[in-house]
Amino acid sequence: ATTAPRIPPTRLALHHFDMSYSLQLKDLWPSVRASLLCEQKYGALLNNFSAVDHVTQELELLNATDFVSEASQKAQRSQRGAAAEETGRGESRTQEGSGEGRTVIQAEMSPALCASISSNIKCYTFPRGDITRFRPARPDALGLFDYYLMDAASLLPVLALNVQPDEFVLDLCAAPGGKTLALLQAGVCGHLAANDVSVSRTKRLYQVLHSYVPKEIRETVSVTSCDGRDWGQLEGGTFHKVLVDVPCTTDRHSVMEDDNNIFHKRRTKERQMLPMLQLQLLMAGILATKPGGEVVYSTCSLSPLQNECVIE
């Protein structure tokens, strides 16, 4: 044991991914592998509670763009094109009732085009291939920071949750706080419960809230350090929307950072038990949801065992 070479956890992780993801992704794996090993690309989530007008201008001068509004505009253009194509087909089939056909298509399109959470959330990124780093966030006159740097992909579960006005929302595994902050940026939560089992990580969540959110908004957020698996028993059937962003192998971190790496040999058992933990957290999230409510389950892993298999 003392003479055997010590293999770093990052190499163990990459070897594991090479064995499993190459079978899963086949020809796509080499490009995905290269992406995992590239430097992390951050987005700047604008803080709507700060004076952000000058920040927006500053970021646009740097050639950064809001990927949320870009995606929304692209989706609208695509839907308009599809609607026009469908209307054209209807007109070619019959002249009679063609106006009604257009009306139906417009009605089907309108919910997707309605202003929703994405209209309030703005996250700036640099163009593809540009890994320029954003300057550190700065406080305004009230001491609130102007933006929060996060992996832009981490915003997708929040957008998928699509919180509507006055809904009660639970972020079951909230720390360190990026998604919780993004949920607040929507400006529509009736109440937000942010929970994380780790007391130390919950302290980081408190710091984020104090650095970015004014006191009157913080008072609408309840922060707890409970075991998320017990939440269904604590407050069952309470929330309209629940985000279950579970602990996972955090693939990029696993291949880039030896510190706190779940592929360390001392954490083998913990890693093997992840799918069971994820399943229990998802079940608790479902039990915490009102009838007719919605749950978003998310990971930052490519593993089917931690994604599709948990859902099934």
Side-chain angles (χ1 to χ4, degrees), residues 60 64-71 118-119 121-125 155:
E60 289 176 353
T65 55
D66 172 23
F67 87 85
V68 181
S69 63
E70 275 191 345
S118 60
S119 63
I121 293 180
K122 294 179 172 56
C123 186
Y124 278 77
T125 58
L155 204 54

Side-chain angles (χ1 to χ4, degrees), residues 93 96 117 126-128 170 196 211 217 274-275 297 311:
R93 284 195 296 268
E96 186 179 355
I117 182 173
F126 290 107
R128 174 177 285 191
L170 168 62
D196 199 277
S211 299
I217 304 297
L274 274 176
Y297 172 85
I311 299 299

Side-chain angles (χ1 to χ4, degrees), residues 22-280:
S22 61
L23 296 174
Q24 172 193 342
L25 299 173
K26 299 183 171 61
D27 293 344
L28 289 174
W29 172 234
S31 60
V32 174
R33 187 183 196 271
S35 298
L36 275 179
L37 293 169
C38 282
E39 185 176 349
Q40 188 169 8
K41 183 171 181 176
Y42 284 97
L45 174 68
L46 291 197
N47 184 13
N48 294 327
F49 304 116
S50 175
V52 295
D53 289 344
H54 71 284
V55 181
T56 301
Q57 296 170 2
E58 176 189 337
L59 294 175
E60 289 176 353
L61 284 172
L62 294 172
N63 201 29
T65 55
D66 172 23
F67 87 85
V68 181
S69 63
E70 275 191 345
S72 177
Q73 291 165 11
K74 185 176 180 181
Q76 289 181 28
R77 287 195 298 270
S78 175
Q79 286 172 342
R80 288 195 196 102
E85 184 180 345
E86 186 62 30
T87 302
R89 286 177 186 157
E91 288 172 343
S92 67
R93 284 195 296 268
T94 174
Q95 291 298 317
E96 186 179 355
S98 61
E100 291 180 3
R102 270 193 216 96
T103 304
V104 171
I105 292 163
Q106 293 283 349
E108 289 174 352
M109 286 170 61
S110 58
L113 300 179
C114 284
S116 66
I117 182 173
S118 60
S119 63
N120 293 329
I121 293 180
K122 294 179 172 56
C123 186
Y124 278 77
T125 58
F126 290 107
R128 174 177 285 191
D130 184 348
I131 57 171
T132 303
R133 296 191 178 206
F134 291 98
R135 63 159 175 79
R138 290 196 290 251
D140 63 9
L142 298 175
L144 299 177
F145 285 92
D146 48 11
Y147 55 64
Y148 181 86
L149 295 178
M150 64 190 301
D151 189 318
S154 295
L155 204 54
L156 300 180
V158 174
L159 296 173
L161 202 60
N162 194 24
V163 178
Q164 299 301 308
D166 300 322
E167 286 185 330
F168 278 43
V169 182
L170 168 62
D171 188 354
L172 191 61
C173 308
K179 294 181 181 68
T180 304
L181 180 61
L183 286 165
L184 290 172
Q185 297 305 311
V188 294
C189 292
H191 175 72
L192 176 60
N195 176 74
D196 199 277
V197 67
S198 168
V199 175
S200 61
R201 284 167 59 85
T202 305
K203 288 179 181 177
R204 169 65 179 146
L205 173 59
Y206 272 116
Q207 290 173 352
V208 168
L209 292 175
H210 278 269
S211 299
Y212 288 87
V213 182
K215 183 179 179 182
E216 61 271 21
I217 304 297
R218 291 201 305 269
E219 289 175 350
T220 68
V221 182
S222 59
V223 179
T224 53
S225 296
C226 304
D227 187 332
R229 293 173 290 185
D230 300 330
W231 199 276
Q233 301 168 21
L234 296 170
E235 291 189 54
T238 306
F239 299 93
H240 300 94
K241 299 286 175 67
V242 176
L243 176 59
V244 186
D245 184 56
V246 293
C248 64
T249 49
T250 52
D251 292 355
R252 179 187 289 278
H253 176 86
S254 293
V255 297
M256 299 291 279
E257 299 286 340
D258 283 321
D259 185 43
N260 198 32
N261 193 312
I262 199 163
F263 280 86
H264 195 287
K265 289 184 177 179
R266 287 198 298 266
R267 301 183 69 184
T268 300
K269 192 84 167 179
E270 179 186 351
R271 189 177 75 251
Q272 291 172 341
M273 292 301 293
L274 274 176
M276 179 56 69
L277 171 63
Q278 293 160 344
L279 175 62
Q280 291 168 336

